Amino acid sequence: MTASRDRTNEFQSVVQLMRGRLSNGAASGAAASASEQHSPAKARLHQRSQFNQLARRVGADLKSTCAKVEKLALLAKRQSLFDDRVPEIQELTYIVRQDLNALNQAIGSLQEVSRNGQSQFQQQQQQQSRTHSNSVVLALQTQLANMSDRFRNVLETRTETLKQNAARREQFSATSSTVDLLAKPSLLAQDDELHRTSSDVAIDMSGAEGNWRRQQQALLDQNEDYLNSRADTMRNIEQTMVDLGQIFQQLATIVREQDEMVQRIDASVDQTTINVEGAHAELLKFFKTVSSNRRLMLKVFGVLIVFFVIFVVFLS
Amino acid sequence: MRLYSLQLVYKQDNRVTPLVAAHDLSSFGFFERKTAKEFMDFTGKLIVERSAPDSGRSQVPEQSYICHCFVRNDKLAGICISDSEYPARVAQSLLSQVLIDVYTCSQAQFKQLEAELARYQDPKKADTLSKVQGDVNDTKAIMTQTMENLLDRGEKLDDLVARSDALSAQSKAFYETAKRTRRCCNAL
């Protein structure tokens, strides 16, 4: 909306410029007074067009930075446990911060231009254009403030997500990642400071304080690193021992189950032995009866044949 | 993974007096050894000079070496120069150990320092934490192997149960047949 208003003004100024140029070219000789009369107007127009161009550029930059902030918000929200797009997010954060800086400076220069342009001329028409440029600058500043607000929210959500991820990772693997979180709060603190002490235009991005804090953190980190690594090793050892305990218990259970199987095998084999022994005995008896029966049979048959013979002799 | 030198110094208001030092220069060429030794001493002294009296533990990486430094509160400081693979934790614990032992003996300290340096060349064996961790890991590997063996045994036992069941059934059938044979074919 800012851009469209600017364009109309610019069109008018361009038209007047062309008219002035035409009149200048037509009356070149006696155009001293005419050119003098036109030159302040031309200068004024020139300033107006410059202001409008700057404002338009600032508006376009604001829009693109807004889109980037939205993308950053999306990325920060969908941080899952394993799909970490950390380098992208950091790059985007850096780019957005640069853009905010540039926009800051651009709006500052815009304000300068509008103020300079109006300080030279004291005519009644200037009143309207002054209010107009003031409102333009104000609108741009409010948009910038809104966007930096949103940027800060995005950073906060990202810290939240990181913390949640770390908690979930700790739950699953029982290791700590305290060092990760140390960097993020200092970043946020930096952002908080610069947003708290900022007027809308003079957002002071002094990184010096943040650097000192980072150095202090690094020193503390080095001192704590040794203790942290010892604690980590201890935790690892403890975890391995717990695992070992579980393995031993499982071992005992499986051995007890297998004991039952062994006893079944034992019983079956015993049964088999008994059966085979019994069958063997039966067969022996059978063999004995078979071998001993023949004598009996012979004797019995012999008696029968004698009886047969007597019967036949007696009857015939 | 090697340690190159171990030095103890006394830091007193920006002046550093070296007390004892031990070096292991076997990885350098014969002619470089002297310069390497001097360089390591100098680096150690410089680092202790530049570090604040209460900075505690710090690591300073050089080209391919890391210089571990431990400045204690009672102005004693220890420097240990190792290559980049040596675990920092073990180096720092070595420094703490050595600095504690300073108070126990004075004359035989040099030999002791050499012995400690030689012992800590293999970080897995010397440092208690690493040793325990290594042992526990080995035990875990052995136990996993045992579990696998046990599961194999279970499979074989299953097989044996089935076969012995079949065997006992067949022997029973054999016994029945024998009995029947005796009963029925008796008359013949």
Side-chain angles (χ1 to χ4, degrees), chain A residues 25-39:
Chain A
S28 56
S33 57
S35 63
E36 266 187 22
Q37 192 185 23
H38 278 289
S39 72

Side-chain angles (χ1 to χ4, degrees), chain A residues 136-182:
Chain A
V136 162
V137 172
L138 198 66
L140 288 172
Q141 283 172 7
T142 14
Q143 278 193 7
L144 184 66
N146 285 347
M147 207 174 44
S148 22
D149 230 349
R150 220 175 311 160
F151 185 52
R152 191 170 33 132
N153 285 346
V154 164
L155 283 178
E156 278 178 7
T157 45
R158 174 152 157 71
T159 338
E160 284 301 321
T161 338
L162 270 182
K163 274 199 207 127
Q164 280 175 14
N165 280 355
R168 242 184 289 157
R169 210 173 286 138
E170 204 175 303
Q171 205 178 14
F172 286 140
S173 66
T175 55
S176 71
S177 57
T178 54
V179 191
D180 260 11
L181 293 180
L182 279 179

Side-chain angles (χ1 to χ4, degrees), chain A residues 216-248:
Chain A
Q216 267 221 331
Q217 291 279 15
L219 204 62
L220 270 176
D221 280 348
Q222 267 198 347
N223 258 333
E224 287 178 6
D225 261 351
Y226 172 60
L227 301 169
N228 271 346
S229 63
R230 274 180 89 94
D232 274 344
T233 323
M234 283 310 300
R235 216 169 291 146
N236 269 344
I237 292 179
E238 195 182 8
Q239 184 68 33
T240 324
M241 284 201 190
V242 163
D243 287 342
L244 264 180
Q246 284 177 351
I247 290 182
F248 266 110

